[in-house]
């Protein structure tokens, strides 16, 4: 059985496992139980993509064709309405209407106080209720969805998953979200991007030693673990300890059956596997978070060595696409929190950081000598913190509001303040790459500085840069009068 939260405490009142999270979502109106029979092939995918696009409550498919007793939960941290990040706030034990920038500040504080996990015995771990080994291993027994009918190359067991790997030199346990495509009953392919991500770097070490790499895929762990697994942590940092910090209590973990990897004891399912040196297989194509499909590529192949799961396991699905999805919604909180902490650690003061999809970081600050350049070098030093480009705006611009950010670029950017840095990115999922960039896995990075230069004298600013809007165009007295009479003018509904 799962370790009860009373035994460990859940610190900030975060849900202790996926099932508790689903209850929290339901109470907050953020979950829809889909009782009608739904096909795991294409149909669940089509529904959950529309839910993303309409920012509806997360669907829980209770009646999946061919798989009685198994369910699929989708869009678990996708965009909501009116509060975009409602489900992420609930995952963190907070009010669903917590404003985005407050959410980022809270995450920032919690990331500064990591909490190491606690190892529990196999009998205490819900993820081991059923253990399948040898001939009983068959990935086809499970309701893994084929998401996009005309874009995806197959069924995906992992989209909203956590992949556990261990650094063979230091013992560092890395947990990260990487997509996994089913190949046959006991093989899957995994997208481990070699240059940008920790998983690819760890695999290189095993392959250099000519050793198989143990790997374990968690499906449906507690939500704090998923938030940590998508965050660009520093090299050597265990995401499971960051997850403990997010929860305010240690994450119960348990040892795998066929390796020394440790996984979340509360997970719905754990797929243990190994990657043999140099074993590659086609992965993809896959409709991705860039809002475009990503090509098929040779990727590492994993051979399943054991599957453990809860009775009646709940599978999970992230449904990537334009413009918002689980990745964009949670990374727009987690990545800025991590980035702002890093800037703070380097003594760089900025007002706010946000990530607009896909992968554009927006930083508001009081422009200063060399400040923007130092922010760029600090953020680009960690792959994934700033992937595509950075937009600098003045402090009066709301970084979370696309319209405000675009207005700042369109009205304030001197075209001479548009820069590129050649060859620092490594993400090959972008649709705009030239064949050469794809081949070299080296991408340019853009910098848009839409701030007014810090050295302009006040007199020059006053003459040219005052904002023309309600806030700045009238005295407080006139604005108060107009607001007081607003209903009288016939605008009570606005
Ligand atoms: C839904 C979702 C799917 C993702 N899929 C992948 C993937 O297939 N490959 C990848 O390299 N990163 C993927 N990511 C991004 C990584 O999870 C993220 O960059 C994380 O910080 C990587 O962890 P690492 O630094 O330990 O490698 C995905 C993120 C999300 C939210
Ligand atoms: Mn990592």
């Amino acid at each position: 059985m799962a370790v009860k939260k009373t035994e460990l405490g859940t610190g900030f009142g975060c849900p202790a496992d996926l099932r508790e999270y689903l209850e929290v979502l339901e109470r907050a109106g953020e979950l829809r139980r889909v009782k009608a029979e739904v096909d795991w092939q294409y149909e669940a995918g089509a529904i959950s993509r529309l839910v993303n696009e309409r920012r509806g409550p997360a669907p829980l498919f209770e009646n999946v064709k061919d798989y009685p007793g198994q369910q699929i939960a989708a869009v678990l941290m996708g965009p909501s309405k009116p509060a975009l990040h409602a489900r992420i706030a609930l995952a963190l034990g907070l009010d669903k209407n917590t404003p985005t920038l407050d959410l980022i500040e809270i995450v920032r504080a919690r990331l500064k106080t990591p909490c190491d996990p606690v190892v529990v015995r196999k009998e205490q771990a819900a993820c081991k209720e059923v253990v399948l080994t040898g001939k009983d291993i068959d990935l086809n027994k499970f309701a893994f969805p084929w998401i996009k009918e005309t874009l995806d190359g197959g069924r995906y067991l992992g989209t909203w998953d956590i992949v556990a790997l261990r650094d063979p030199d230091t013992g560092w346990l890395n947990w990260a979200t990487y997509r996994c495509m089913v190949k046959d009953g006991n093989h899957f392919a995994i997208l481990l991007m070699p240059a940008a991500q920790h998983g690819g770097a760890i695999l290189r070490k095993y392959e250099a030693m000519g050793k198989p790499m143990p790997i374990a895929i968690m499906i449906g762990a507690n939500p704090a673990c998923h938030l940590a697994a998508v965050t660009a942590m520093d090299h050597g940092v265990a995401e499971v300890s960051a997850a403990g910090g997010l929860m305010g209590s240690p994450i119960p973990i348990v040892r795998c059956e066929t390796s020394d990897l440790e996984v979340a004891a509360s997970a719905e399912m754990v797929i243990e596997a190994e990657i043999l040196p140099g074993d590659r297989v086609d992965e993809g194509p896959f409709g991705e978070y860039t809002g475009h499909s990503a090509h098929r590529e040779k990727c590492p192949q994993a051979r399943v060595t054991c599957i453990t799961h809860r009775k009646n396991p709940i599978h999970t699905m992230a449904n990537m696409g334009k413009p918002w999805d689980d990745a964009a919604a949670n990374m727009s909180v987690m990545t800025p929190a991590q980035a702002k902490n890093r800037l703070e650690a380097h003594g760089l003061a900025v007002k706010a950081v946000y990530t607009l999809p896909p992968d554009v970081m927006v930083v508001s600050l009081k422009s200063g000598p060399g400040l923007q350049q130092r922010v760029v070098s600090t953020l680009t030093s960690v792959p994934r913190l700033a992937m595509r480009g950075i937009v600098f705006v003045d402090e009066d611009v709301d970084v979370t509001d696309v319209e405000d950010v675009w207005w700042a670029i369109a009205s304030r950017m001197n075209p001479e303040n548009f820069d590129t840095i050649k060859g620092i990115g490594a993400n090959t999922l972008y649709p705009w790459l030239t064949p050469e960039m794809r081949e070299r896995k080296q991408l340019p990075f853009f910098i848009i500085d839409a701030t007014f230069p810090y050295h302009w004298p006040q007199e020059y600013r006053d003459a040219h840069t005052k904002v023309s809007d309600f806030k700045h165009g009238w005295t407080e007295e006139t604005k108060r009068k107009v607001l007081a009479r607003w209903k009288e003018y016939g605008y009570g509904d606005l």
Side-chain angles (χ1 to χ4, degrees), residues 159-160 174-179 191-193 196-199 229-233 239 288 318 320 326-327 330-331 384:
T159 48
W160 188 244
N174 193 70
W175 282 10
T177 299
Y178 305 131
R179 69 184 205 216
L191 181 69
L192 284 177
M193 284 194 285
Q197 312 288 55
H198 292 150
V230 302
T231 307
M233 304 291 173
E239 284 82 1
E288 262 296 354
M320 319 294 259
D326 291 81
N330 64 67
M331 284 176 163
R384 247 287 153 208

Side-chain angles (χ1 to χ4, degrees), residues 101 362 364 393-405:
L101 292 181
V362 186
S364 66
V393 292
D394 288 308
E395 289 185 303
D396 63 324
V397 175
D398 178 356
V399 292
T400 67
D401 181 346
V402 185
E403 209 172 299
D404 215 25
V405 171

Side-chain angles (χ1 to χ4, degrees), residues 320-341:
M320 319 294 259
K322 164 196 167 182
W324 287 100
D325 55 26
D326 291 81
N330 64 67
M331 284 176 163
S332 64
V333 172
M334 302 307 294
T335 310
Q338 180 77 350
K340 204 173 174 207
N341 277 356

Side-chain angles (χ1 to χ4, degrees), residues 59-337:
L60 177 63
F61 299 106
E62 293 187 327
N63 183 357
V64 181
K65 185 166 174 267
D66 304 330
Y67 295 97
Q70 298 183 36
Q71 304 178 73
I72 303 176
V75 205
L76 281 167
M77 291 196 198
S80 185
K81 213 169 40 185
L84 183 83
H85 299 105
R87 281 170 233 159
I88 293 155
L90 292 167
L92 291 165
L94 303 166
D95 185 278
K96 74 179 232 179
N97 293 313
T98 308
T100 298
L101 292 181
D102 293 354
L103 208 49
I104 292 172
E105 289 306 309
I106 292 164
V107 169
R108 243 155 64 69
R110 294 190 191 178
L111 285 175
K112 288 181 196 164
T113 51
C115 174
D116 286 338
V118 56
V119 181
V120 301
R121 290 192 315 279
K122 183 176 169 177
E123 308 77 59
Q124 297 172 293
C127 69
K128 307 251 191 198
E129 279 179 354
V130 178
V131 178
L132 302 172
T133 54
K135 282 198 297 294
D136 291 331
I137 294 172
D138 183 5
L139 294 173
N140 298 308
K141 284 183 186 165
F142 301 103
F144 301 129
W146 188 317
I147 303 175
K148 296 189 182 96
E149 187 170 7
T150 59
L151 300 178
D152 293 358
R155 299 174 77 168
Y156 273 79
L157 66 88
T159 48
W160 188 244
D161 60 0
I162 303 174
V163 178
L165 296 172
R166 199 185 286 290
D167 186 302
D169 299 329
T170 64
W172 160 39
L173 180 67
N174 193 70
W175 282 10
T177 299
Y178 305 131
R179 69 184 205 216
C180 298
M181 175 178 159
V182 177
K183 294 303 289 187
D184 62 33
N186 62 346
H187 290 91
F188 60 91
I190 178 164
L191 181 69
L192 284 177
M193 284 194 285
Q197 312 288 55
H198 292 150
I202 292 173
L203 175 66
R204 268 205 307 274
K205 291 192 177 185
Y206 283 93
E207 296 204 320
M209 294 188 294
K211 281 190 180 170
M213 177 175 80
I215 183 169
I217 318 296
M218 291 161 248
I219 294 165
N222 75 58
C225 293
H226 286 275
L227 285 172
V230 302
T231 307
M233 304 291 173
D234 283 355
H235 183 91
V237 170
E239 284 82 1
V240 65
S241 301
L246 291 173
M247 280 192 74
S249 65
I251 305 292
I253 55 171
V254 66
R255 224 187 110 109
C256 281
E257 300 294 299
T258 57
S259 71
D260 70 348
L261 289 169
E262 284 142 344
V263 291
S266 74
E268 291 291 323
M269 178 175 277
V270 178
I271 299 169
E272 302 181 17
E274 63 175 3
I275 298 178
L276 299 178
D279 192 5
R280 298 289 184 273
V281 69
D282 278 339
E283 197 278 344
F286 187 67
E288 262 296 354
Y289 78 103
T290 63
H292 298 79
S293 70
H295 61 292
R296 174 178 294 150
E297 197 175 7
K298 292 278 182 231
C299 282
Q301 165 162 258
R303 188 183 67 85
V304 182
T305 52
C306 177
I307 299 175
T308 75
H309 66 84
R310 284 189 170 202
K311 290 181 189 141
N312 300 318
I314 305 173
H315 305 289
T316 58
M317 175 194 344
N319 198 319
M320 319 294 259
K322 164 196 167 182
W324 287 100
D325 55 26
D326 291 81
N330 64 67
M331 284 176 163
S332 64
V333 172
M334 302 307 294
T335 310

